[in-house]
Amino acid sequence: MKKSSATNSITPSYDQNIQNIKAEFGNFSDLIIREFKIGKSNIRAFLVMIDGLIDKAVINEHILKPLMRDISIYKKDQSTCEEVYTIIKENILYSHCITEERNWAKTVHCILCGDVALFIDSIDRCLLISVRGWESRGIEEPNTEVVVRGPREGFTENLRTNTALIRRKIRDPKLKIESIKIGKISKTDIGICYIESIAKKELVDEVKRRLEKIDMEYILESGYIESFIEDGKYSIFPTVGNSEKPDVVVGKLMEGRVAILVDGTPFALTVPYLFVEAFQTSEDYYSRPYYYSIVRFLRYFSFFVATILPALYIAVTTFHQELLPTSLLISIASAQAGIPFPSFAETLTMLVIYEILKEAGVRLPRPVGQAISIVGALVIGEAAVSAGLIGAPMVVTVAFTAISTFMIPAISDAATIVRFACVFMSSICGLYGIILVWILMIIHLCSLKSFGVNYLVPIAPTVFHDLKDVFVRLPWRILKKRPVVFNKKF
């Protein structure tokens, strides 16, 4: 877009306004300027819109047709332009949202957002008519949060669709959705959602303060926002939650948290975010608590396995063989016989191959990606064992580690980094290296905060009232009171 030569305000001159529009937008191939005369009078007018952002059928039927054919506009032979303008605004246009605007910059921004601007000769202001109608993806089940029981709807890339999904579940005027724009060029719409009677005012103010400090030219996804507002900017653990499911976001709003919706992405951010949330899923609360309490224990166990199992294999086979039963030690030794690499090199090679296969499966088209992941793992694993390059116990160890990582997708990135750290330290110090990494990790987790709330709460510091939804999921008759961690300062 060319640099504007227009004034700050709309002028009453018809020709000057057209000239300013052309100067502002320059060589826009999708810019539409529709000139016409109102009714059978000689009053000139024109519409300005961006092709692809508007609903053409609505414009033709509810804007152009009434303006060009409705006789009520020119029922007075001597109607002035000001009178015609008033009649159009109050009686003629069929639209749920019409605003009057004098500022040129705001008018241009609204046109770029999908509104239609109506300019009338001799009038020093325009009417902005909301007829946004671009193509967008429908509401579908998110692929990242699949459930057996529970709502199947997910957020879309349209901000208004997402706010409507939340309002459908919270029909209370205390649900506030405040809008701001971030990005000097993109001017991306951001929605700040919270329940006024539940969320702490200090938390809401802190979220607004961090968002207002963001100085970027463009925001394309909520991940941009996350990197600017998160605590522990150099931590491998996330301190800002994200979800594609409206029911998950609504559940967190009901606990007193704040959600951040970004136009153009289906991922909503939620703050504060706690470590224990990585082991909780929405389905835990839709089914009976007994089985899912066991599943939650399995998730914690899976995190433990995903981070230390390969390192434990190295430590035991290299430094602490006396810890293994004799029969198991003989089985591992026989499988390792003839392997030309030490345990560390063997483990590191298999972990790197696994990461390559996982990334290839994600980036390729879904049918091809699944074939690459499954066939690649089978062929490479079998071929490596047959060629005597990798021992069978190592293949089993990496496979179990990979499956355990899939149990905790929210922190799988952090678990992978901790896993490699444990592998390197176990190759140097054995079990003492693994213990050292875990001690440092726990110290780091205890030092983290998320918007003023300790990351490990309610485990450390211990909040007994909220432990009923940490390691197990107790029945709803016990969980009906919301957590206290977001209402008190820890």
Side-chain angles (χ1 to χ4, degrees), residues 33 280 450:
I33 301 177
Q280 300 169 347
S450 178

Side-chain angles (χ1 to χ4, degrees), residues 207-225:
V207 171
K208 293 178 182 178
R209 186 187 68 81
R210 296 191 190 187
L211 289 175
E212 289 169 356
K213 287 178 61 178
I214 296 176
D215 184 19
M216 280 279 289
E217 290 187 342
Y218 56 92
I219 299 293
L220 302 181
E221 213 274 336
S222 58
Y224 288 49
I225 303 289

Side-chain angles (χ1 to χ4, degrees), residues 1 97 155 163 199 244 289 291 297-298 310 317 330 338 364 382 389 395 400 415 421 454 464 472 481-482:
M1 192 164 60
C97 182
F155 288 129
T163 57
E244 284 190 85
Y291 171 72
F297 267 114
L298 290 178
T317 57
I330 293 174
L364 286 171
E382 180 65 26
L389 300 176
V395 175
F400 190 33
N454 285 345
F464 292 101
V472 296
K481 292 184 179 180
R482 66 176 54 92

Side-chain angles (χ1 to χ4, degrees), residues 148-215:
V148 176
R149 179 176 180 178
R152 303 301 176 92
E153 59 189 8
F155 288 129
T156 71
E157 285 75 16
N158 188 297
L159 178 62
R160 281 296 150 246
T161 301
N162 296 342
T163 57
L165 288 171
I166 292 177
R167 285 208 179 272
R168 279 181 54 201
K169 296 181 181 295
I170 305 180
R171 298 167 185 175
D172 193 299
K174 291 185 175 61
L175 171 62
K176 304 299 180 182
I177 302 178
E178 301 181 13
S179 296
I180 62 172
K181 297 184 185 298
I182 300 180
K184 296 177 182 176
I185 296 178
S186 66
K187 295 181 176 63
T188 306
D189 291 317
I190 310 294
I192 305 172
C193 308
Y194 61 94
I195 300 177
E196 191 175 32
S197 58
I198 300 177
K200 292 169 60 179
K201 186 177 183 301
E202 296 83 358
L203 172 61
V204 177
D205 292 340
E206 179 64 16
V207 171
K208 293 178 182 178
R209 186 187 68 81
R210 296 191 190 187
L211 289 175
E212 289 169 356
K213 287 178 61 178
I214 296 176
D215 184 19

Side-chain angles (χ1 to χ4, degrees), residues 446-479:
C446 290
S447 67
L448 281 179
K449 288 182 179 291
S450 178
F451 283 79
V453 179
N454 285 345
Y455 193 55
L456 278 185
V457 74
I459 300 174
T462 303
V463 182
F464 292 101
H465 177 275
D466 294 343
L467 286 176
K468 57 192 175 185
D469 191 27
V470 176
F471 300 107
V472 296
R473 203 281 277 179
L474 296 183
W476 268 115
R477 61 180 179 273
I478 301 175
L479 291 179

Side-chain angles (χ1 to χ4, degrees), residues 243-261:
S243 177
E244 284 190 85
K245 291 177 65 64
D247 56 306
V248 173
V249 173
V250 166
K252 295 185 179 183
L253 290 176
M254 294 300 297
E255 293 179 346
R257 308 190 208 204
V258 176
I260 302 169
L261 307 179

Side-chain angles (χ1 to χ4, degrees), residues 274-396:
L274 306 180
F275 178 72
V276 296
E277 292 181 59
F279 305 94
Q280 300 169 347
T281 66
S282 61
E283 198 170 353
D284 293 355
Y285 305 95
Y286 302 147
S287 303
R288 293 173 61 80
Y290 313 109
Y291 171 72
Y292 280 96
S293 294
I294 298 173
V295 171
R296 190 169 291 184
F297 267 114
L298 290 178
R299 294 190 192 114
Y300 282 100
F301 176 71
S302 295
F303 176 71
F304 184 76
V305 169
T307 53
I308 75 161
L309 187 59
L312 189 63
Y313 177 85
I314 295 173
V316 170
T317 57
T318 306
F319 296 96
H320 310 286
Q321 297 92 340
E322 67 279 2
L323 296 178
L324 294 176
T326 304
S327 57
L328 179 59
L329 180 61
I330 293 174
S331 297
I332 294 177
S334 61
Q336 290 290 103
I339 302 299
F341 305 111
S343 296
F344 169 68
E346 184 184 9
T347 304
L348 188 62
T349 300
M350 288 300 297
L351 289 177
V352 170
I353 291 175
Y354 158 68
E355 294 297 330
I356 292 173
L357 288 173
K358 184 178 74 171
E359 189 68 15
V362 170
R363 303 304 166 195
L364 286 171
R366 185 173 301 173
V368 180
Q370 292 177 348
I372 288 291
S373 300
I374 298 172
V375 177
L378 291 174
V379 171
I380 292 177
E382 180 65 26
V385 172
S386 301
L389 300 176
I390 302 293
M394 186 70 258
V395 175
V396 174

